[in-house]
Amino acid sequence: KAGVTQTPRYLIKTRGQQVTLSCSPISGHRSVSWYQQTPGQGLQFLFEYFSETQRNKGNFPGRFSGRQFSNSRSEMNVSTLELGDSALYLCASSRTGPSTDTQYFGPGTRLTVL
Amino acid sequence: EDQVTQSPEALRLQEGESSSLNCSYTVSGLRGLFWYRQDPGKGPEFLFTLYSAGEEKEKERLKATLTKKESFLHITAPKPEDSATYLCAVQPSNDYKLSFGAGTTVTVRA
């Protein structure tokens, strides 16, 4: 069974630009959660999507947004990039959601903002 | 606010030298406590979920235990391939999201 895939694996952007990251969950998984990982803050929850609806949201500014498609694939968008947005962005999928099922993480997208 | 504290931050072990990692937590009602392993440049890999005090789970050289305030991850006779960062996360009963600790980086020397 294929795992969670994320594209691209690496991205370099400049301040002020916007970026879109993609996540394909494990087949049959309908929940996708996004996390930001930095050395200083660790892993922080961004948001969770289930059946194309945002079901839960962390404490991040509105520049961070996401969506989920009917095939459960999800995208995350960050607008007006700041230097502090440099991080490893991870997505995790589960069948029914993190409250009722184990989450499996993808390899992440390493975003560098210059 | 949910808090998860992992100790020590780093642990250097000799191959075969058993040790324990600690995860102490503060949460208003625990739905579950999770352990993940993360290798450099990769996403976290699921290890265990613990739901209630007294519960124990084992996988190869790893054993996780849970009390009302903390969890321990015991590594028995570690091998170099056990070198990784071990992350603990808690999920409160009234929320979906996981709150992660900062992790313990384990290095096992041959």
Side-chain angles (χ1 to χ4, degrees), chain A residues 9 35 37 43 45 55-56 88 90 98-99 102-103 105-107, chain B residues 31 36 38 41-44 46 49 87 91 95-98 100:
Chain A
R9 293 293 313 278
Y35 294 84
Q37 188 174 32
L43 259 162
F45 173 78
R55 194 161 59 172
N56 205 14
L88 181 67
L90 295 158
S99 64
T102 300
Q103 289 188 104
F105 283 83
Chain B
R31 186 191 302 272
Y36 285 86
Q38 187 173 24
K42 295 187 177 181
F46 171 76
T49 308
L87 298 167
Q91 185 175 53
D95 202 350
Y96 287 101
K97 68 180 182 183
L98 299 183
F100 280 83

Side-chain angles (χ1 to χ4, degrees), chain B:
Chain B
E1 185 179 324
D2 305 330
Q3 287 196 342
V4 183
T5 303
Q6 292 189 247
S7 61
E9 289 185 15
L11 191 59
R12 294 176 65 85
L13 301 171
Q14 199 68 32
E15 184 172 5
E17 178 188 0
S18 301
S19 188
S20 294
L21 284 55
N22 178 265
C23 171
S24 63
Y25 63 91
T26 304
V27 65
S28 53
L30 180 70
R31 186 191 302 272
L33 184 142
F34 302 80
W35 282 99
Y36 285 86
R37 168 198 168 121
Q38 187 173 24
D39 293 305
K42 295 187 177 181
E45 174 190 347
F46 171 76
L47 293 173
F48 305 108
T49 308
L50 301 167
Y51 294 103
S52 56
E55 190 173 359
E56 299 181 349
K57 288 196 176 171
E58 287 188 68
K59 180 180 180 179
E60 296 180 356
R61 295 176 293 282
L62 300 177
K63 179 179 178 180
T65 61
L66 180 65
T67 72
K68 288 188 177 179
K69 294 185 177 180
E70 58 191 349
S71 176
F72 293 93
L73 184 66
H74 308 278
I75 309 178
T76 302
K79 298 182 178 182
E81 52 262 42
D82 295 322
S83 298
T85 295
Y86 291 86
L87 298 167
C88 166
V90 297
Q91 185 175 53
S93 55
N94 61 351
D95 202 350
Y96 287 101
K97 68 180 182 183
L98 299 183
S99 294
F100 280 83
T104 294
T105 299
V106 175
T107 305
V108 182
R109 296 169 292 174

Side-chain angles (χ1 to χ4, degrees), chain A residues 9-94:
Chain A
R9 293 293 313 278
Y10 302 92
L11 264 178
I12 299 176
K13 293 285 187 179
T14 56
R15 280 181 300 174
Q17 288 187 309
Q18 74 165 19
V19 66
T20 299
L21 313 180
S22 180
C23 171
S24 292
I26 293 171
S27 177
H29 286 195
R30 295 168 62 189
S31 168
V32 174
S33 297
W34 287 90
Y35 294 84
Q36 181 195 66
Q37 188 174 32
T38 59
Q41 298 297 319
L43 259 162
Q44 292 186 290
F45 173 78
L46 281 156
F47 30 66
E48 185 230 351
Y49 284 86
F50 182 83
S51 292
E52 302 179 65
T53 301
Q54 188 181 88
R55 194 161 59 172
N56 205 14
K57 191 177 188 303
N59 298 320
F60 278 81
R63 299 186 297 109
F64 293 82
S65 63
R67 59 177 176 169
Q68 188 179 34
F69 302 95
S70 58
N71 62 358
S72 294
R73 188 177 70 85
S74 179
E75 288 182 347
M76 191 192 92
N77 185 271
V78 188
S79 62
T80 318
L81 284 166
E82 301 177 359
L83 294 178
D85 296 333
S86 294
L88 181 67
Y89 289 89
L90 295 158
C91 85
S93 79
S94 62

